Amino acid sequence: MSSLGLATLLASFLASAVEFVEAVTIVLAVGTTRQWRSTLLGTGAAVALLAGLIAIFGTAIAVLVPIELLRLVVGGFLIIYGLQWLTKAILRAGGAKAKHDEAAIFEREIVALKAEPPVPASGTDWISFTVAFKGVLLEGLEVVFIVVTFGASADLLGPAALGAVTAAAVVLSIAALVRRPLAAVPENAMKFAVGLMLVTFGTFWAGEGVGIDWPAEDASILVLLVGYVALSLAGTWLVRGRLRRMHLADATS
Amino acid sequence: MSWLRRFGRFWYDFLVGDRWELFVGPLAALALAGVLVRAGMTGAGVGLVLFISVAAVGTVSIAAALRS
Protein backbone atom coordinates (compact mmCIF):
# COMPACT_ATOMS: atom_id res chain seq x y z
CA MET A 1 0.00 0.00 0.00
CA SER A 2 1.29 3.52 -0.86
CA SER A 3 2.15 6.04 1.86
CA LEU A 4 -0.95 8.03 0.84
CA GLY A 5 -3.04 4.88 1.26
CA LEU A 6 -1.57 4.26 4.72
CA ALA A 7 -2.22 7.87 5.73
CA THR A 8 -5.82 7.56 4.50
CA LEU A 9 -6.27 4.30 6.43
CA LEU A 10 -4.80 5.82 9.60
CA ALA A 11 -6.93 8.99 9.40
CA SER A 12 -10.06 6.95 8.77
CA PHE A 13 -9.20 4.53 11.60
CA LEU A 14 -8.59 7.28 14.17
CA ALA A 15 -11.65 9.34 13.20
CA SER A 16 -13.87 6.27 13.15
CA ALA A 17 -12.51 4.97 16.47
CA VAL A 18 -13.36 8.28 18.20
CA GLU A 19 -16.91 8.25 16.81
CA PHE A 20 -17.43 4.55 17.61
CA VAL A 21 -16.30 5.12 21.23
CA GLU A 22 -19.02 7.78 21.52
CA ALA A 23 -21.61 5.51 19.85
CA VAL A 24 -20.68 2.58 22.11
CA THR A 25 -21.40 4.72 25.18
CA ILE A 26 -25.00 5.22 23.96
CA VAL A 27 -25.43 1.55 22.97
CA LEU A 28 -24.12 0.34 26.35
CA ALA A 29 -26.40 2.74 28.23
CA VAL A 30 -29.48 1.57 26.29
CA GLY A 31 -28.57 -2.13 26.41
CA THR A 32 -27.84 -2.27 30.12
CA THR A 33 -30.84 -0.10 31.11
CA ARG A 34 -33.49 -1.56 28.78
CA GLN A 35 -33.23 -4.51 26.39
CA TRP A 36 -30.12 -5.80 24.60
CA ARG A 37 -31.92 -7.51 21.68
CA SER A 38 -33.72 -4.34 20.51
CA THR A 39 -30.61 -2.24 21.16
CA LEU A 40 -28.48 -4.51 18.97
CA LEU A 41 -31.18 -4.55 16.29
CA GLY A 42 -31.15 -0.73 16.23
CA THR A 43 -27.35 -0.70 16.15
CA GLY A 44 -27.25 -3.24 13.29
CA ALA A 45 -29.82 -1.28 11.28
CA ALA A 46 -27.80 1.93 11.66
CA VAL A 47 -24.52 0.21 10.71
CA ALA A 48 -26.16 -1.33 7.62
CA LEU A 49 -27.52 2.08 6.57
CA LEU A 50 -24.11 3.71 7.09
CA ALA A 51 -22.34 1.01 5.04
CA GLY A 52 -24.90 1.52 2.27
CA LEU A 53 -24.30 5.30 2.32
CA ILE A 54 -20.53 4.76 2.01
CA ALA A 55 -20.98 2.33 -0.89
CA ILE A 56 -23.50 4.52 -2.76
CA PHE A 57 -22.00 7.97 -2.20
CA GLY A 58 -18.37 6.83 -2.31
CA THR A 59 -18.84 5.16 -5.68
CA ALA A 60 -21.22 7.74 -7.15
CA ILE A 61 -19.07 10.73 -6.22
CA ALA A 62 -15.88 9.10 -7.54
CA VAL A 63 -17.55 8.12 -10.83
CA LEU A 64 -19.76 11.15 -11.53
CA VAL A 65 -17.78 14.17 -10.30
CA PRO A 66 -14.66 15.39 -12.19
CA ILE A 67 -11.55 14.93 -10.03
CA GLU A 68 -10.52 18.64 -9.99
CA LEU A 69 -13.98 19.77 -8.83
CA LEU A 70 -14.13 16.86 -6.38
CA ARG A 71 -10.81 17.82 -4.81
CA LEU A 72 -11.81 21.48 -4.51
CA VAL A 73 -15.19 20.76 -2.87
CA VAL A 74 -14.03 17.85 -0.72
CA GLY A 75 -10.77 19.59 0.19
CA GLY A 76 -12.74 22.66 1.26
CA PHE A 77 -15.04 20.55 3.42
CA LEU A 78 -12.05 18.72 4.93
CA ILE A 79 -10.44 22.04 5.90
CA ILE A 80 -13.71 23.25 7.46
CA TYR A 81 -14.38 19.98 9.26
CA GLY A 82 -10.73 19.45 10.23
CA LEU A 83 -10.48 22.98 11.68
CA GLN A 84 -13.59 22.29 13.80
CA TRP A 85 -11.94 19.18 15.27
CA LEU A 86 -8.50 20.75 15.59
CA THR A 87 -9.52 24.04 17.24
CA LYS A 88 -11.69 22.17 19.77
CA ALA A 89 -8.83 19.75 20.46
CA ILE A 90 -6.41 22.68 20.97
CA LEU A 91 -8.86 24.39 23.37
CA ARG A 92 -9.33 21.09 25.29
CA ALA A 93 -5.58 20.36 25.40
CA GLY A 94 -4.98 23.93 26.59
CA GLY A 95 -7.57 23.55 29.36
CA ALA A 96 -10.05 26.10 27.94
CA LYS A 97 -12.74 23.53 27.16
CA ALA A 98 -13.92 20.51 29.14
CA LYS A 99 -12.76 17.14 27.80
CA HIS A 100 -15.28 14.58 26.58
CA ASP A 101 -16.22 12.45 29.60
CA GLU A 102 -17.73 9.16 28.39
CA ALA A 103 -18.50 8.00 31.96
CA ALA A 104 -20.53 11.17 32.65
CA ILE A 105 -22.34 10.88 29.29
CA PHE A 106 -23.12 7.23 30.13
CA GLU A 107 -24.65 8.25 33.48
CA ARG A 108 -26.73 11.03 31.85
CA GLU A 109 -28.04 8.60 29.20
CA ILE A 110 -29.06 6.10 31.89
CA VAL A 111 -30.95 8.77 33.85
CA ALA A 112 -32.78 9.86 30.68
CA LEU A 113 -33.62 6.25 29.71
CA LYS A 114 -35.01 5.45 33.17
CA ALA A 115 -37.54 8.25 32.68
CA GLU A 116 -38.93 6.48 29.59
CA PRO A 117 -41.94 4.06 29.72
CA PRO A 118 -41.04 0.50 30.88
CA VAL A 119 -39.72 -2.18 28.50
CA PRO A 120 -42.63 -4.25 27.02
CA ALA A 121 -42.91 -7.79 28.42
CA SER A 122 -42.52 -9.32 24.96
CA GLY A 123 -41.45 -8.26 21.46
CA THR A 124 -39.26 -5.40 20.33
CA ASP A 125 -38.64 -2.44 22.63
CA TRP A 126 -38.88 0.41 20.13
CA ILE A 127 -37.36 2.93 22.54
CA SER A 128 -34.18 0.83 22.77
CA PHE A 129 -34.19 0.36 19.00
CA THR A 130 -34.72 4.06 18.23
CA VAL A 131 -32.22 5.47 20.74
CA ALA A 132 -29.49 3.02 19.64
CA PHE A 133 -30.29 3.54 15.94
CA LYS A 134 -30.25 7.33 16.23
CA GLY A 135 -27.09 7.43 18.36
CA VAL A 136 -25.10 5.14 16.07
CA LEU A 137 -26.41 6.85 12.92
CA LEU A 138 -25.55 10.37 14.08
CA GLU A 139 -22.04 9.42 15.26
CA GLY A 140 -21.56 7.24 12.17
CA LEU A 141 -22.50 10.01 9.72
CA GLU A 142 -19.25 11.75 10.61
CA VAL A 143 -17.42 8.50 9.80
CA VAL A 144 -19.24 8.28 6.45
CA PHE A 145 -18.32 11.88 5.70
CA ILE A 146 -14.62 11.28 6.40
CA VAL A 147 -14.43 7.90 4.64
CA VAL A 148 -16.23 9.13 1.52
CA THR A 149 -14.33 12.41 1.25
CA PHE A 150 -10.91 10.88 1.92
CA GLY A 151 -11.59 7.83 -0.22
CA ALA A 152 -13.06 9.67 -3.19
CA SER A 153 -10.46 12.48 -3.33
CA ALA A 154 -7.46 10.17 -3.33
CA ASP A 155 -9.24 7.34 -5.17
CA LEU A 156 -8.61 5.29 -2.02
CA LEU A 157 -12.10 4.29 -0.90
CA GLY A 158 -10.79 0.78 -0.02
CA PRO A 159 -8.18 1.85 2.57
CA ALA A 160 -10.57 4.49 3.97
CA ALA A 161 -13.33 1.90 4.42
CA LEU A 162 -10.83 -0.63 5.83
CA GLY A 163 -9.76 1.93 8.45
CA ALA A 164 -13.38 2.45 9.52
CA VAL A 165 -14.19 -1.28 9.63
CA THR A 166 -11.00 -2.02 11.64
CA ALA A 167 -11.86 0.77 14.09
CA ALA A 168 -15.37 -0.64 14.50
CA ALA A 169 -13.99 -4.15 15.13
CA VAL A 170 -11.42 -2.92 17.67
CA VAL A 171 -13.78 -0.61 19.59
CA LEU A 172 -16.68 -3.10 19.64
CA SER A 173 -14.38 -5.96 20.75
CA ILE A 174 -12.97 -3.92 23.63
CA ALA A 175 -16.46 -2.71 24.62
CA ALA A 176 -17.79 -6.29 24.57
CA LEU A 177 -14.93 -7.34 26.87
CA VAL A 178 -15.07 -4.53 29.42
CA ARG A 179 -18.86 -3.87 29.23
CA ARG A 180 -18.56 -0.23 30.32
CA PRO A 181 -17.88 3.11 28.57
CA LEU A 182 -14.40 3.39 27.11
CA ALA A 183 -13.51 6.43 29.21
CA ALA A 184 -9.77 5.63 29.19
CA VAL A 185 -9.45 6.13 25.42
CA PRO A 186 -7.38 9.29 24.74
CA GLU A 187 -10.18 10.85 22.69
CA ASN A 188 -8.74 14.36 22.60
CA ALA A 189 -5.30 13.24 21.42
CA MET A 190 -7.02 11.23 18.68
CA LYS A 191 -9.20 14.18 17.67
CA PHE A 192 -6.08 16.37 17.63
CA ALA A 193 -4.36 13.92 15.24
CA VAL A 194 -7.44 13.52 13.02
CA GLY A 195 -8.00 17.28 12.87
CA LEU A 196 -4.38 17.75 11.75
CA MET A 197 -4.72 15.11 9.03
CA LEU A 198 -8.04 16.49 7.74
CA VAL A 199 -6.73 20.07 7.55
CA THR A 200 -3.48 18.92 5.92
CA PHE A 201 -5.09 16.76 3.22
CA GLY A 202 -7.87 19.33 2.78
CA THR A 203 -5.35 22.11 2.13
CA PHE A 204 -3.44 19.93 -0.36
CA TRP A 205 -6.48 18.71 -2.30
CA ALA A 206 -8.40 22.00 -2.26
CA GLY A 207 -5.16 23.71 -3.33
CA GLU A 208 -4.93 21.34 -6.30
CA GLY A 209 -8.60 22.05 -6.99
CA VAL A 210 -8.02 25.81 -7.31
CA GLY A 211 -5.03 25.16 -9.56
CA ILE A 212 -2.02 25.20 -7.21
CA ASP A 213 0.91 23.31 -8.73
CA TRP A 214 2.40 22.10 -5.43
CA PRO A 215 6.22 21.98 -5.47
CA ALA A 216 7.49 18.43 -4.69
CA GLU A 217 3.94 17.17 -5.42
CA ASP A 218 2.75 14.64 -2.77
CA ALA A 219 5.77 15.43 -0.54
CA SER A 220 4.14 18.84 0.06
CA ILE A 221 1.60 17.00 2.24
CA LEU A 222 4.38 16.22 4.74
CA VAL A 223 5.56 19.84 4.74
CA LEU A 224 1.99 21.05 5.36
CA LEU A 225 1.54 18.50 8.15
CA VAL A 226 4.76 19.56 9.90
CA GLY A 227 3.67 23.20 9.65
CA TYR A 228 0.20 22.56 11.07
CA VAL A 229 1.61 20.36 13.88
CA ALA A 230 4.07 23.10 14.89
CA LEU A 231 1.38 25.81 14.86
CA SER A 232 -1.12 23.62 16.74
CA LEU A 233 1.38 22.80 19.49
CA ALA A 234 2.27 26.49 19.73
CA GLY A 235 -1.45 27.29 19.87
CA THR A 236 -1.98 24.84 22.75
CA TRP A 237 0.95 26.37 24.62
CA LEU A 238 -0.42 29.90 24.06
CA VAL A 239 -3.93 28.90 25.23
CA ARG A 240 -2.45 27.43 28.43
CA GLY A 241 -0.42 30.61 29.01
CA ARG A 242 -3.44 32.83 28.37
CA LEU A 243 -5.57 30.84 30.84
CA ARG A 244 -2.81 30.95 33.45
CA ARG A 245 -2.59 34.75 33.11
CA MET A 246 -6.39 35.05 33.36
CA HIS A 247 -6.45 32.94 36.54
CA LEU A 248 -3.61 34.99 38.03
CA ALA A 249 -5.45 38.23 37.19
CA ASP A 250 -8.64 36.84 38.80
CA ALA A 251 -6.73 35.76 41.91
CA THR A 252 -5.05 39.15 42.39
CA SER A 253 -8.17 41.26 41.72
CA MET B 1 -41.67 21.39 4.97
CA SER B 2 -40.72 20.74 8.58
CA TRP B 3 -38.76 17.67 7.41
CA LEU B 4 -36.91 19.87 4.90
CA ARG B 5 -36.21 22.44 7.62
CA ARG B 6 -34.87 19.75 9.95
CA PHE B 7 -32.72 18.36 7.12
CA GLY B 8 -31.30 21.82 6.40
CA ARG B 9 -30.80 22.45 10.12
CA PHE B 10 -28.89 19.16 10.48
CA TRP B 11 -26.45 20.07 7.68
CA TYR B 12 -26.10 23.63 8.99
CA ASP B 13 -25.20 22.30 12.44
CA PHE B 14 -22.95 19.63 10.90
CA LEU B 15 -20.91 22.04 8.77
CA VAL B 16 -21.27 25.45 10.39
CA GLY B 17 -22.54 24.98 13.94
CA ASP B 18 -21.76 27.83 16.32
CA ARG B 19 -18.40 28.60 14.66
CA TRP B 20 -19.36 30.35 11.44
CA GLU B 21 -15.83 31.71 10.97
CA LEU B 22 -14.58 28.13 10.46
CA PHE B 23 -16.98 27.81 7.52
CA VAL B 24 -16.56 31.21 5.89
CA GLY B 25 -12.80 31.53 6.55
CA PRO B 26 -11.61 28.49 4.55
CA LEU B 27 -13.91 29.43 1.64
CA ALA B 28 -12.42 32.93 1.60
CA ALA B 29 -8.89 31.45 1.80
CA LEU B 30 -9.60 29.19 -1.19
CA ALA B 31 -11.12 32.08 -3.16
CA LEU B 32 -7.97 34.13 -2.50
CA ALA B 33 -5.77 31.19 -3.57
CA GLY B 34 -7.79 30.84 -6.78
CA VAL B 35 -7.37 34.53 -7.58
CA LEU B 36 -3.60 34.35 -6.96
CA VAL B 37 -3.24 31.26 -9.18
CA ARG B 38 -5.03 33.06 -12.02
CA ALA B 39 -2.83 36.12 -11.45
CA GLY B 40 0.21 33.95 -12.23
CA MET B 41 1.71 33.51 -8.74
CA THR B 42 3.96 30.45 -8.30
CA GLY B 43 2.59 27.22 -6.78
CA ALA B 44 4.89 27.56 -3.76
CA GLY B 45 3.75 31.14 -3.19
CA VAL B 46 0.02 30.39 -3.40
CA GLY B 47 0.49 27.25 -1.30
CA LEU B 48 2.16 29.33 1.41
CA VAL B 49 -0.64 31.93 1.28
CA LEU B 50 -3.26 29.17 1.58
CA PHE B 51 -1.43 27.55 4.53
CA ILE B 52 -1.11 30.90 6.35
CA SER B 53 -4.75 31.79 5.63
CA VAL B 54 -6.07 28.49 6.99
CA ALA B 55 -3.85 28.79 10.08
CA ALA B 56 -5.07 32.37 10.57
CA VAL B 57 -8.72 31.22 10.44
CA GLY B 58 -8.00 28.64 13.16
CA THR B 59 -6.17 31.24 15.27
CA VAL B 60 -9.02 33.76 14.99
CA SER B 61 -11.56 31.09 15.95
CA ILE B 62 -9.55 30.01 19.01
CA ALA B 63 -9.11 33.64 20.08
CA ALA B 64 -12.87 34.19 19.71
CA ALA B 65 -13.60 31.05 21.76
CA LEU B 66 -11.25 32.25 24.51
CA ARG B 67 -12.90 35.70 24.59
CA SER B 68 -16.36 34.17 24.94
Side-chain angles (χ1 to χ4, degrees):
Chain A
M1 191 184 291
S2 67
S3 54
L4 196 58
L6 279 175
T8 300
L9 192 148
L10 181 65
S12 172
F13 175 83
L14 288 174
S16 305
V18 169
E19 298 303 333
F20 286 133
V21 164
E22 292 175 8
V24 155
T25 300
I26 298 166
V27 171
L28 280 171
V30 184
T32 52
T33 317
R34 296 186 67 89
Q35 188 197 72
W36 271 111
R37 194 178 64 83
S38 303
T39 304
L40 293 177
L41 274 174
T43 304
V47 169
L49 180 58
L50 292 168
L53 288 175
I54 289 177
I56 293 166
F57 286 106
T59 311
I61 288 172
V63 170
L64 299 175
V65 185
I67 190 71
E68 289 304 315
L69 178 63
L70 183 67
R71 289 191 166 170
L72 174 59
V73 174
V74 162
F77 278 133
L78 285 178
I79 297 174
I80 291 166
Y81 207 56
L83 275 178
Q84 287 179 6
W85 280 47
L86 187 56
T87 51
K88 278 182 190 159
I90 289 171
L91 288 166
R92 286 194 177 109
K97 191 173 169 69
K99 288 190 178 167
H100 219 81
D101 185 346
E102 291 303 325
I105 293 168
F106 182 71
E107 294 302 327
R108 277 203 301 274
E109 282 289 336
I110 285 180
V111 169
L113 286 162
K114 281 183 176 166
E116 296 287 349
V119 179
S122 61
T124 304
D125 173 28
W126 289 106
I127 292 174
S128 300
F129 181 94
T130 309
V131 174
F133 178 82
K134 198 174 161 189
V136 173
L137 188 67
L138 287 179
E139 299 296 346
L141 276 177
E142 299 193 46
V143 174
V144 170
F145 183 78
I146 290 168
V147 168
V148 168
T149 51
F150 250 80
S153 297
D155 201 14
L156 291 165
L157 197 59
L162 181 64
V165 170
T166 309
V170 170
V171 171
L172 291 177
S173 302
I174 296 171
L177 281 174
V178 300
R179 298 211 168 209
R180 59 189 165 86
L182 305 179
V185 171
E187 271 189 67
N188 200 52
M190 289 164 76
K191 284 187 171 173
F192 204 112
V194 174
L196 281 167
M197 294 181 93
L198 297 185
V199 173
T200 298
F201 280 96
T203 304
F204 183 77
W205 285 326
E208 282 194 332
V210 294
I212 294 177
D213 189 12
W214 290 100
E217 298 180 352
D218 286 357
S220 299
I221 294 173
L222 195 60
V223 176
L224 286 169
L225 180 63
V226 170
Y228 283 130
V229 168
L231 288 177
S232 300
L233 292 176
T236 306
W237 181 74
L238 287 170
V239 169
R240 275 198 200 119
R242 170 89 187 263
L243 281 183
R244 207 176 301 125
R245 283 195 301 278
M246 283 164 69
H247 289 149
L248 276 174
D250 283 348
T252 52
S253 64
Chain B
M1 191 62 193
S2 71
W3 181 87
L4 200 65
R5 194 176 292 134
R6 279 205 304 273
F7 184 75
R9 183 83 216 170
F10 170 79
W11 283 105
Y12 182 86
D13 287 343
F14 193 68
L15 292 170
V16 182
D18 55 353
R19 317 271 299 277
W20 62 269
E21 69 276 6
L22 292 181
F23 185 78
V24 175
L27 298 183
L30 286 171
L32 174 65
V35 168
L36 293 176
V37 165
R38 270 131 202 92
M41 197 171 181
T42 62
V46 186
L48 186 63
V49 169
L50 181 59
F51 169 78
I52 291 170
S53 306
V54 170
V57 170
T59 306
V60 166
S61 181
I62 289 172
L66 283 176
R67 271 198 304 274
S68 63

